[in-house]
Amino acid sequence: MPTIIPFRAVRPTRDKVGLVASRSYETYSKKGRKFRMDRNPYSFLHIVNPGYKYHKEITGKKAFKLVRNRYQEFKEEGVFLKEEQPSFYIYKIIDRKGQEFCGLIGGASVFDYENNLIKKHEDTLEDREELFKEYLDTVGFNAEAVLLTYPDNADVASIIQETTQERAEYEFTTTYRDTHYVWPLSNPKSIATIQEAFKQMPQLYIADGHHRSSSSYLLAKDHQQNDPDYHKEATYNYFMSFFIPESHVRIHEFNRLIKDLNGLSKEEFLIALDTEFRIENRGVAAYTPSKKHHFSMYLDGEFYSLYLRKSNYNFKNTLEALDPQILYKTILEPILGISDLRNDARITYAGGKKDMIYVKSAVDKGEYAVGFGMLPLTMEELKQIADDGYTMPPKSTYIEPKLRSGITIYEF
């Protein structure tokens, strides 16, 4: 049932792709961005940080037209080219540990998003949706793909396998020691086979990119209402997505760091926890939970294991059984007084490679009073939450792979 389309990507020339490609803008520190931009005139960061040219920080709506200008300059200077014919783009990453992630980049339909053929598991913020919608409308392109998962499919896998035997159009390694490969796929027969395979799937799931997909949907609705030349096949009725089989997705946990104990002493806090958890002091050795509904905690120089008491295993739905929700409902909200997980400045989330050793370091520095860890969620949990119409607490999943920006660009 889902519809996916090939498109004519704007992309870097082969010789410059490794220079253009960047991580997402927000993943860099201010100092890190400047360091890279000072030394690399081709970095995509120059497009999304246009104030650099004027030695001035420019953000928000004022920056949108300047982003468009920088983008046009890259095209005029021949850094980018436009694909001659509509293509899918097979994208493979082999990370430093030898893990392989491989899928294809194409366009996903806003109508599938509207009709819940593309399923969500996360809430979006209205003001952020509107801001990014205006950004897309002003700059006229999207350079970061939404990550959509699909059930492993033999026909799609066969085409990917066959295509990746050829020389890649792009092959470059990042300073993270991840190697990226891209193959354009424009063969009409292969494209038709892939599209037919996706039409046979019941639905797709958003793994990462809820705001990007919702903003793209809002932009399409605006055009539908205001554009006299509106038609269903217009490019703004699709959004660039990285379609990846479920077996290639890696889900990591987000650990929680809390600035204070909400006025409680250490002893009072531990006694409060005892109502819901069986607590064991693990000493100074780093501890990571081994089962669902078990949590690790670092407090005052020591690790603790927290086992949810089995008398509390009376979950009424799939959301209540999620570990991030359990942590919220048993500790963060009732004991530590954190009810707004998105906006409360007392809580910080540590995802990806920021494990319990990172949590320990942050607490030992005095930046936080306590840290919590849990096991990562599974793909089955993510899908079930989406199927049941629930939304997870914010920062419940840190999902890989992470594509580089500026490698394939979707124009409206």
Side-chain angles (χ1 to χ4, degrees):
M1 289 186 287
T3 299
I4 73 170
I5 62 164
F7 66 100
R8 295 177 61 202
V10 173
R11 56 185 181 85
T13 56
R14 186 201 289 261
D15 63 308
K16 293 185 177 65
V17 63
L19 296 170
V20 171
S22 74
R23 303 198 313 270
S24 295
Y25 178 85
E26 65 273 6
T27 65
Y28 294 95
S29 66
K30 185 175 180 180
K31 184 178 180 181
R33 282 196 298 269
K34 184 177 185 305
F35 178 87
R36 285 159 177 79
M37 295 172 74
D38 284 346
R39 289 158 177 79
N40 179 7
Y42 298 111
S43 173
F44 194 73
L45 291 171
H46 286 279
I47 293 176
V48 293
N49 188 17
Y52 173 88
K53 183 175 181 178
Y54 303 106
H55 309 288
K56 184 177 181 181
E57 188 76 19
I58 303 174
T59 59
K61 297 179 181 180
K62 291 182 180 180
F64 295 171
K65 289 184 178 179
L66 293 177
V67 169
R68 175 74 178 176
N69 292 346
R70 295 293 87 74
Y71 174 62
Q72 293 297 334
E73 288 168 8
F74 267 52
K75 292 175 69 175
E76 291 162 4
E77 292 167 2
V79 177
F80 288 134
L81 55 84
K82 187 161 187 174
E83 199 74 61
E84 293 183 0
Q85 51 191 323
S87 302
F88 288 124
Y89 300 87
I90 296 174
Y91 196 128
K92 181 169 76 173
I93 302 172
I94 299 178
D95 70 12
R96 67 172 72 181
K97 296 179 180 178
Q99 293 185 106
E100 180 176 311
F101 308 92
C102 191
L104 59 93
I105 296 173
S109 168
V110 298
F111 303 108
D112 289 345
Y113 179 87
E114 180 177 46
N115 295 323
N116 207 33
L117 294 178
I118 296 174
K119 295 200 168 187
K120 315 95 182 167
H121 65 265
E122 206 175 88
D123 276 334
T124 51
L125 302 176
E126 185 176 354
D127 57 347
R128 190 174 167 192
E129 287 177 335
E130 289 291 335
L131 185 65
F132 193 60
K133 180 196 75 173
E134 186 171 342
Y135 171 84
L136 293 174
D137 198 28
T138 303
V139 304
F141 69 85
N142 188 1
E144 290 194 19
V146 173
L147 186 64
L148 296 178
T149 68
Y150 65 89
D152 289 51
N153 180 278
D155 290 336
V156 177
S158 177
I159 292 172
I160 289 176
Q161 174 66 20
E162 180 181 348
T163 304
T164 55
Q165 298 307 303
E166 304 169 3
R167 181 191 179 192
E169 174 67 12
Y170 296 149
E171 178 180 351
F172 65 95
T173 300
T174 71
T175 53
Y176 276 22
R177 300 181 185 175
D178 300 333
T179 303
H180 297 242
Y181 306 83
V182 178
W183 294 261
L185 177 63
S186 57
N187 179 278
K189 184 178 179 181
S190 296
I191 287 174
T193 299
I194 289 171
Q195 290 180 306
E196 183 59 31
F198 274 82
K199 285 180 182 177
Q200 301 306 313
M201 298 175 189
Q203 63 267 320
L204 306 174
Y205 292 86
I206 299 175
D208 191 23
H210 285 79
H211 282 93
R212 278 168 276 156
S213 49
S214 62
S215 298
S216 297
Y217 167 71
L218 292 175
L219 178 63
K221 296 297 286 185
D222 275 2
H223 279 285
Q224 185 176 355
Q225 296 169 6
N226 303 314
D227 187 347
D229 299 320
Y230 173 84
H231 57 95
K232 290 193 71 172
E233 299 308 314
T235 53
Y236 48 67
N237 284 325
Y238 297 86
F239 53 94
M240 186 170 69
S241 299
F242 182 47
F243 303 93
I244 186 167
E246 291 173 4
S247 62
H248 282 231
V249 175
R250 301 290 181 269
I251 303 178
H252 304 276
E253 71 278 11
F254 263 102
N255 295 320
R256 274 68 169 140
L257 286 156
I258 315 299
K259 289 188 178 294
D260 59 69
L261 297 182
N262 198 28
L264 300 174
S265 68
K266 173 184 172 180
E267 291 72 21
E268 289 170 335
F269 179 57
L270 289 171
I271 290 170
L273 291 177
D274 194 79
T275 302
E276 303 282 355
F277 296 94
R278 181 164 58 86
I279 306 168
E280 291 186 16
N281 188 318
R282 298 280 179 165
V284 297
Y287 171 74
T288 301
S290 58
K291 294 181 180 179
K292 290 291 183 184
H293 314 328
H294 292 188
F295 302 87
S296 57
M297 179 177 73
Y298 185 72
L299 171 70
D300 193 27
E302 295 179 306
F303 286 92
Y304 294 81
S305 57
L306 306 180
Y307 300 148
L308 184 68
R309 295 189 182 279
K310 291 193 175 180
S311 58
N312 292 322
Y313 281 40
N314 53 349
F315 311 120
K316 297 182 179 66
N317 54 56
T318 51
L319 177 61
E320 289 187 2
L322 284 185
D323 284 350
Q325 183 73 1
I326 291 171
L327 187 69
Y328 171 55
K329 284 298 184 180
T330 59
I331 301 176
L332 301 183
E333 184 180 44
I335 299 176
L336 294 176
I338 297 174
S339 56
D340 186 348
L341 292 174
R342 292 187 180 277
N343 300 307
D344 196 316
R346 296 170 56 224
I347 184 169
T348 298
Y349 301 93
K353 299 175 176 62
K354 296 179 178 178
D355 57 13
M356 287 304 291
I357 298 300
Y358 173 87
V359 170
K360 175 184 185 302
S361 175
V363 173
D364 287 346
K365 290 176 183 176
E367 299 171 359
Y368 302 92
V370 63
F372 299 96
M374 65 196 88
L375 288 180
L377 300 184
T378 65
M379 177 57 66
E380 289 69 29
E381 287 176 308
L382 184 151
K383 290 169 62 177
Q384 194 63 57
I385 285 290
D387 289 343
D388 293 347
Y390 294 113
T391 55
M392 297 181 183
K395 302 297 184 183
S396 290
T397 57
Y398 180 92
I399 295 181
E400 289 184 312
K402 302 291 186 188
L403 303 191
R404 294 285 162 140
S405 298
I407 296 178
T408 59
I409 298 172
Y410 182 84
E411 291 188 328
F412 307 113

